[in-house]
Amino acid sequence: MTTQLAPAPAPAPASDTTARRDHIYPTLTAAQIARLAAHGRRRRVEPGEVLMPAGEPVTRLFVVLEGRVEGVRPSTTGDALVVSLDPGMFTGEVTMLSGRHGLAQIQAASAGEVIEVGRDDLLALIQADGELNEIFMRAFILRRVELINRGVGDVVVLGSSHCQGTLRIREFLTRNGHPYTMVDLDNDAGVEELLGRFQVSAADVPVVICRGDVVLRNPSPQQIADALGFNDAIEKTHVRDLVVVGAGPSGLAAAVYGASEGLDVLVVESTAPGGQAGSSSRIENYLGFPMGISGQELANRAFTQAEKFGAQVMIAKAATKLACERRPYALEIGDGQRLPARVVIIATGAEYRRLPIDNLPRFEGAGVYYAATTMEAQLCAEEEVVVVGAGNSAGQAAVFLAQTAGRVHMVIRSGGLADTMSRYLIRRIEDHPAIVRHVHSEIVSLERVGWRDNASGRVETHGIRHVFTMTGAVPGTRWLAGCMALDAKGFIKTGPDLSADDLAAARWPLARPPHLLETSLPGVFAIGDVRAGSLKRVASAVGEGSIAIAAVHQVLHE
């Protein structure tokens, strides 16, 4: 089996490798261990004793005092060693923050002694102790990156690089930072034996095998999340201070600021953290990242940060209705569950507008894409591609794809890029020999990709197999069903944008006017791309998330 997650990094110098290893598996000092010991209990362990089984919710961390502890991946062909930990080292990776199911079994390799620290005690400690926070958070994040790069996980995906469903599943797992092994039915040896062992056929593709025995045939994201226990640690019935709908930059910012200030926060996300920004190949104008950062990396960092402060994030659960008749409000998530909340923040963002072509669904995920990440770039290396759009997302995609594609055609409905794209991206596009711009043009066919020059009426057709469309914005508000005032395009009106007529129609019940980001429904806020008048920039979305929390505190104290 082969892993196909990301290109392998270039070998690092020995000194760099050693330093990175020390960050991934650091050895704590005696003083640091003493501070940990005050939050846990010492206990003896015997050879072979299982401290934490694989596949169960992670509730404890172990610090090795004496002897050796191992992390192993149990399998039908024998246990595979993942890591060996000596005295001063500790177990755990990012599942320690979320309480999700562990990927490896933790067991004693010899007789010895450990400190056992409960998950809640660990979270409290790293929030209070700056030094230990840095050590644990860096180790947890780097360990998850190492597991992903090595393909060490509890998921195997059987599929084809030409299969729409396979790409959808790989994107879901990758954007949620979950390690998996990809078995390409077109190229990998031993495929027939694997299909026979799990009693599946090529017609069942894509197939996801979870924990070695749960077989899912062409599963939805929710089925995968349920099988992997993504949300098992989340209590779903008690009334939260705050429920945030959507885990894009604005929603994650609200979660970080809310949870860090002591609010009980739950985030509900329909697919994966990051929103549209999470699918961006590189963001270079976000403050504090002069070398740029991929949207997925930014989203993963924000997600981990939110969990560190105690926010919980429910994955692959789409909001279907807001029960807004009385307070506390309740968010319905499609499977009969209702999540009650004193305050709600809507951060459901906007999605790219679909091309107005009849047979579009046939090509979505199999030739038409709404993201340009490493995964999509691998599918079209050395080929010609089309990027539709004139905003920053389209520009970032064109520049990124031009690194590996044979040629990038930018199809632009307007007369140019100056009014809609950052200048640094325009310069790169203008200077790149592989990028060709077609202004006053729009896509008219997909069977053979064709675009029409609206000035002359001439249509060009090409045998191009990959189209990346990043144009327009459709707000994620269909599920709100009249709960609050929207503008003519369906975006949520907030604060000063709410007219007297809007408030009268909504029967605004309070003497005060709505807060800056508050909707026509008291105690419900809208932030980020879903809000009417938002700037559609990552930094602006993050700022709105933090601003909203200040008003949330005021509402909770009313």
Side-chain angles (χ1 to χ4, degrees), residues 8-333:
S15 58
D16 290 349
T17 302
T18 301
R20 180 178 173 84
R21 186 75 180 173
D22 289 343
H23 286 156
I24 300 175
Y25 299 106
T27 300
L28 299 174
T29 66
Q32 291 164 349
I33 291 174
R35 299 207 298 276
L36 269 168
H39 295 265
R41 68 181 183 99
R42 299 169 73 111
R43 53 172 285 199
R44 297 292 303 177
V45 295
E46 301 301 327
E49 181 181 346
V50 176
L51 306 180
M52 181 73 66
E56 291 191 3
V58 175
T59 58
R60 292 161 291 163
L61 174 140
F62 299 91
V63 182
V64 184
L65 297 178
E66 177 190 328
R68 193 171 76 254
V69 169
E70 293 178 338
V72 300
R73 284 291 303 135
S75 71
T76 55
T77 56
D79 294 349
L81 179 66
V82 176
V83 65
S84 180
L85 302 173
D86 296 319
M89 296 181 176
F90 55 86
T91 64
E93 46 104 32
V94 293
T95 49
M96 278 301 308
L97 306 177
S98 63
R100 289 183 184 176
H101 298 260
L103 301 179
Q105 177 169 290
I106 307 302
Q107 61 189 38
S110 63
E113 188 177 21
V114 299
I115 298 172
E116 179 181 315
V117 183
R119 175 175 165 269
D120 290 341
D121 292 323
L122 178 69
L123 288 176
L125 178 62
I126 62 178
Q127 289 176 34
D129 190 314
E131 182 184 30
L132 290 177
N133 166 67
E134 182 176 349
I135 293 170
F136 279 107
M137 292 302 295
R138 180 168 53 198
F140 290 164
I141 292 169
L142 291 177
R143 288 176 185 182
R144 176 51 65 105
V145 171
E146 184 180 60
L147 291 174
I148 291 173
N149 289 338
R150 291 168 56 188
V152 176
D154 53 1
V155 175
V156 177
V157 178
L158 308 181
S160 165
S161 58
H162 306 295
C163 169
Q164 181 182 37
T166 301
L167 179 63
R168 169 179 52 81
I169 289 168
R170 293 180 64 195
E171 284 184 333
F172 175 76
L173 292 169
T174 299
R175 290 191 60 182
N176 279 289
H178 197 90
Y180 68 95
T181 300
M182 173 68 192
V183 178
D184 191 332
L185 300 184
D186 299 326
N187 300 309
D188 288 358
V191 166
E192 292 301 326
E193 186 274 332
L194 199 60
L195 292 174
R197 188 197 314 172
F198 291 100
Q199 298 181 326
V200 294
S201 68
D204 295 320
V205 168
V207 173
V208 178
I209 302 168
C210 303
R211 303 200 188 100
D213 57 2
V214 178
V215 179
L216 306 176
R217 293 166 172 81
N218 193 21
S220 66
Q222 183 173 333
Q223 289 173 315
I224 298 173
D226 289 345
L228 295 176
F230 275 11
N231 305 314
D232 287 359
I234 298 176
E235 205 284 321
K236 303 175 180 66
T237 58
H238 80 268
V239 180
R240 309 264 178 173
D241 293 329
L242 173 63
V243 168
V244 181
V245 191
S250 63
L252 289 173
V256 168
Y257 282 94
S260 67
E261 295 173 13
L263 299 182
D264 181 3
V265 180
L266 173 66
V267 183
V268 179
E269 168 55 44
S270 61
T271 51
Q276 278 192 12
S279 64
S280 177
S281 55
R282 184 151 298 271
I283 302 169
E284 293 190 55
N285 58 357
Y286 187 60
L287 186 68
F289 294 92
M291 305 301 292
I293 184 171
S294 74
Q296 182 179 328
E297 186 179 1
L298 182 65
N300 287 345
R301 290 186 183 191
F303 177 79
T304 302
Q305 193 174 15
E307 289 189 322
K308 180 188 85 168
F309 286 118
Q312 293 187 302
V313 185
M314 186 178 289
I315 295 295
K317 297 290 186 179
T320 57
K321 182 182 177 182
L322 178 63
C324 54
E325 306 83 17
R326 60 182 179 272
R327 300 175 75 169
Y329 301 120
L331 185 73
E332 297 185 5
I333 54 174

Side-chain angles (χ1 to χ4, degrees), residues 45 345 427 456 481:
V45 295
I345 291 180
R427 290 195 186 102
S456 67

